[in-house]
Each structure stands twice: as C-alpha cells, then as structure tokens.
Amino acid sequence: MVRAAVLPAVGAPLEVTDIDLPDPGPGQVRVRLAAAGVCHSDLSLSNGTMRVPVPAVLGHEGAGTVVAVGEGVTGVAPGEEVVLNWAPSCGSCHTCALGEVWLCANALNGAADVYAHTADGADLHPGLNVAAFAEETVVSESCLLPLPEGIPLTDAALLGCAVLTGYGAVHRSARVREGETVAVYGVGGVGLAALQAARIAGASRIVAVDVSPEKEELARAAGATDYVIASDTTAREIKGLTGKQGVDVAVECVGRATTIRTAWDSTRRGGRTTVVGIGGKDQQVTFNALELFHWGRTLAGCVYGNSNPAEDLPVLAEHVRAGRLDLGALVTERIALDGIPAAFDNMLAGKGGRALVVF
C-alpha cells in the first residue's frame, strides 16, 4: 500500500489515501518518487477540460528511483534514478515514422489501463500514463528516461514536462534565433521555462506578460527584460517596446482565446505565435481572411514542446550543469500530497510558478 492523490470522478476533489500498488509485471518498472510537479494539465484533467478514465491517480511530471523491475526489462535496474516520460513514442505509427514523436498516436494508450486498486478494490487508472501523485508508481519501461549525471533528483521532476515543454516551444516549435524579440504569455512553470529558454537562445528582448504584478520578479529572474500586466492594451504596449513592429515570436502558455489572439496581435508582420496552453472547446479564436493574408504571420500549436525527450533531456541537462538553466527557479512552493488541491487553487488564481510535491 502506498499513499496517493486519487481523482475519484471528474470535477470531484482529490482524495489522498492508500492505494494497492502491485508488483511490476512484464515490461514494467516500479519507481519510488522523489518529487512530482503540479502542472496545469493536471487541473485540466481533474475538471474535465481534458478527458481521463476515472478514478485515476494524476501527476505526469516526476522523477524518482527504480525499486523493482518486471520480466523482460533491460533498460533500467533497481537503484537507478529516472525521469518519468508521460508521452512515450511507439516508434511505429505514422507521425513517429515522420520523426514527429511528440504527436505519437499511441502515446497515451496506457492511460486507460488499470494499474492499481483502491483500498476497497476499485480499479485505478494511471492519469497520463505515469501516476506521479503517489509515493510510488508502476509504469511501462518506455515511460522512463535515465537521469543524466549532475542533476538533483528532486529538481529533475521539472524536466518531465515544464522544462521540456517551455524549452521546446522556444527552440523546437518557434525556433527562436539569436537577436530576435520574444513575448511569453503566462508566467507559470512552463512560462518560466520558456523565458529561460529565450534567454539561452540569445533573444535580444524578452517580454513577460501575466495578469499578476507579483510575478514580475520571477519573470525577470528567468530572463525577462520587460514585464507587462495583461490588459486590453497588451499588444499595443508590446509594439511600443519594439519600435512599433511587434515581437518576432510570441509563446502563449495560458490556453485562452483572448490570450492567443493577443499573442498573435503582438507579433510583427511575418511573426510567429506558438500556442502551448491547453484551452477548452469553448475557447474559440477568430481571424478574418484579409488579416491572415496581410500580416503573413504563423500560428502553430505545440504539443509537449514538440520535443523528443530521449534526445532533448541530455541537452537540457548540459544547460543545467553549465548554469544556464535554473530548475529551482521555476519552483515557488514545495508541498506534500495534501497540498495539491491548494496548488490547483493557486493556479486558478494565477499565483506562483511551479508547485513541487516532495516525498
């Protein structure tokens, strides 16, 4: 039996309780979690914006130590430190064959599996494959990445989603070039990672945008050269900071129609907007045909930072070791499992960066 935060039904509050976690079966690995990040996607799963079989143990951003392996597992061994990969690529579907592993058609197949049981015997599903909101979890071997040397295990949890997503949005999706100007909308965990990534890319001006004045210090520490409080005049203010042209790149980390539209409006003619935030079906964004032609801008969705975790994790680790990427700076609160509901409330209120569950 291990302690876990269980989502009993969509829209219901999480329940921290004991669950019955079995030994790993063939191809599976049992991991003792060191830490798990609380991501906005977890909130989206809990409130039904994104669908997940329930009851479930959420949490998809984590790192820990292997404690047992099942039959046929050869890639990891007990005692090894690992980062959870919630979206493993199958390597054989159409998009994987194209090299777009972040769009793997089979990445989330494991989320429908029964991986554990409640104390009274009810089936439990593993959220986004990995069920990181628990003291221990059992996952497919494909959901694990070896932790590169020199990275603190607790902070490494952030690599599994926030950093891969924020860094990838800047370097893989938007492909920010040295000297370009960048605006990042939303200064949460992913936004903070995107700000650091823009600084690493050599952006000449980095504008952070958020509804909260309290986040300015966080944003500037991550690399922002300017801070704008979100309002109806945000696009105009950003153009005023960039010689009336607009930024080369906008990275939207909120997932709201108004923010996506504002991000688009704040880019220059020919600029690029990358949408990272996950919004609901009710968030409709509209454009007219003439402006699409006239402005020549690009609007792109971005899944998991368009990253290849196996290739990108060593790159991120090198940035961490060299002092260019500060994982700890993304964390504004370290909590226990019982603190996850309050962390959800803080995200809804736009407070803080990343909350990190430390076991």
Side-chain angles (χ1 to χ4, degrees):
M1 304 293 285
V2 300
R3 298 284 285 173
V6 176
L7 177 70
V10 173
L14 294 179
E15 299 174 356
V16 178
T17 184
D18 289 331
I19 66 170
D20 184 7
L21 188 68
D23 292 330
Q28 293 183 324
V29 179
R30 185 166 178 141
V31 177
R32 180 181 300 115
L33 273 297
V38 183
C39 179
H40 203 282
S41 296
D42 297 309
L43 177 61
S44 296
L45 290 167
S46 72
N47 65 24
T49 299
M50 297 167 61
R51 290 295 179 180
V52 62
V54 290
V57 175
L58 302 183
H60 60 279
E61 180 183 87
T65 304
V66 174
V67 294
V69 300
E71 180 183 352
V73 172
T74 59
V76 295
E80 293 185 3
E81 296 179 341
V82 292
V83 176
L84 301 182
N85 176 16
W86 62 270
S89 59
C90 70
S92 59
C93 70
H94 178 68
T95 49
C96 283
L98 293 173
E100 299 171 356
V101 298
W102 56 92
L103 298 178
C104 175
N106 301 307
L108 294 179
N109 284 356
D113 293 344
V114 173
Y115 95 112
H117 296 87
T118 63
D120 59 5
D123 292 344
L124 277 175
H125 302 281
L128 291 180
N129 284 327
V130 295
F133 288 166
E135 295 169 331
E136 295 186 7
T137 188
V138 172
V139 301
S140 167
E141 181 183 7
S142 64
C143 289
L144 298 177
L145 297 165
L147 178 65
E149 292 184 5
I151 311 300
L153 182 58
T154 300
D155 289 347
L158 302 166
L159 294 171
C161 184
V163 180
L164 275 169
T165 300
Y167 183 90
V170 169
H171 287 263
R172 281 189 169 271
S173 179
R175 299 184 181 277
V176 174
R177 299 181 290 266
E178 185 174 2
E180 288 192 312
T181 53
V182 177
V184 175
Y185 286 76
V187 184
V190 173
L192 287 169
L195 289 169
Q196 290 201 44
R199 174 176 46 75
I200 291 170
S204 60
R205 189 158 212 155
I206 305 170
V207 185
V209 182
D210 199 277
V211 296
S212 172
E214 289 75 23
K215 291 188 180 182
E216 181 171 0
E217 185 177 347
L218 276 174
R220 290 189 181 276
T225 58
D226 302 273
Y227 193 80
V228 173
I229 305 300
S231 70
D232 293 341
T233 64
T234 295
R236 193 180 314 141
E237 289 182 60
I238 290 177
K239 287 186 176 181
L241 293 170
T242 53
K244 299 183 180 180
Q245 296 301 309
V247 290
D248 297 297
V249 171
V251 179
E252 200 274 356
C253 304
V254 180
R256 292 185 186 145
T258 54
T259 315
I260 294 169
R261 179 71 220 204
T262 302
W264 162 276
D265 288 337
S266 69
T267 62
R268 65 170 174 81
R269 196 175 187 189
R272 314 184 299 280
T273 299
T274 287
V275 178
V276 179
I278 300 172
K281 294 180 180 179
D282 61 325
Q283 296 293 311
Q284 298 292 316
V285 188
T286 59
F287 307 91
N288 66 61
L290 181 60
E291 69 175 322
L292 290 173
F293 160 77
H294 172 76
W295 289 105
R297 295 164 171 154
T298 300
L299 178 69
C302 178
V303 178
Y304 204 4
N306 291 10
S307 65
N308 182 334
E311 292 182 0
D312 293 347
L313 191 61
V315 174
L316 295 175
E318 180 54 35
H319 285 310
V320 173
R321 288 191 293 264
R324 294 184 291 267
L325 181 60
D326 184 355
L327 298 179
L330 275 63
V331 180
T332 53
E333 187 179 21
R334 294 176 187 264
I335 61 175
L337 278 172
D338 292 341
I340 297 175
F344 280 4
D345 291 341
N346 285 337
M347 282 192 289
L348 282 171
K351 296 179 179 178
R354 202 48 138 211
L356 190 67
V357 179
V358 179
F359 296 94

